[in-house]
Amino acid sequence: MKRWLATLSAVCLGFCGPLAAQQARPTAPPLEYVGKPVRGIPVSQAVKAGNMLFVSGMPPFGQGGKIAAGDFPAQMKQVMENLTGVLKASGADWGRVVKTTVYLTRFQDFAEMNRIYAEYFPSGRYPARTTVVVSALPHPDFLLEIECEAVLE
């Protein structure tokens, strides 16, 4: 009988202990989706998860969906302004950005990208960044796309 009780206790501790610990965990805050899908593409402009903001790769679409085809400086500025708008709508700004990923289709645009990029960080405090040169982006006129992550206050 003692052996049976000891076995039952061990089984209960092995099963009930983790179950009780799972129930004691606080629930995660709900995700908040910022913006609407653009052009019917199933993607959110940004997602807030707790105090983190994840901004989708931003293309160089301007007003009315126009793209400055072949004009890298214009596309770079448009992407940065598009990102600025999403950050602002989410309660953040460039000072809260901790990571960016830049996708370029032409290596020769790297220096110009850095020049324009730096203008958005006048304090000289830059987020971590990865820059990748890719063979193509979803639209043939896209010369770049940038995504970022920010910490919300």
Side-chain angles (χ1 to χ4, degrees):
M1 181 71 157
K2 287 183 183 179
R3 187 181 295 175
W4 181 82
L5 282 174
T7 304
L8 180 61
S9 294
V11 169
C12 186
L13 285 174
F15 178 73
C16 298
L19 183 59
Q22 284 180 343
Q23 292 174 348
R25 290 183 192 153
T27 59
L31 299 178
E32 183 180 335
Y33 299 89
V34 179
K36 297 178 181 175
V38 178
R39 299 176 172 266
I41 297 171
V43 64
S44 294
Q45 288 182 341
V47 177
K48 289 182 185 180
N51 71 333
M52 293 296 301
L53 177 69
F54 301 90
V55 182
S56 293
M58 196 60 55
F61 286 119
Q63 291 291 84
K66 296 185 188 226
I67 301 171
D71 185 346
F72 182 82
Q75 285 195 24
M76 178 66 186
K77 289 174 187 172
Q78 185 65 60
V79 166
M80 295 301 281
E81 287 304 311
N82 292 347
L83 286 167
T84 299
V86 173
L87 290 167
K88 186 176 179 182
S90 303
D93 59 28
W94 286 105
R96 304 299 301 168
V97 173
V98 295
K99 174 77 168 86
T100 62
T101 304
V102 179
Y103 301 91
L104 300 173
T105 59
R106 305 182 310 199
F107 178 76
Q108 65 264 27
D109 294 323
F110 185 73
E112 185 68 4
M113 181 272 297
N114 280 321
R115 185 188 68 74
I116 296 168
Y117 183 89
E119 292 173 4
Y120 288 81
F121 303 95
S123 69
R125 299 183 71 161
Y126 306 108
R129 184 181 86 193
T130 300
T131 304
V132 182
V133 178
V134 297
S135 62
L137 288 166
H139 189 287
D141 290 331
F142 290 176
L143 299 177
L144 77 148
E145 184 172 294
I146 302 175
E147 64 185 26
C148 67
E149 299 171 18
V151 177
L152 303 169
E153 294 187 55

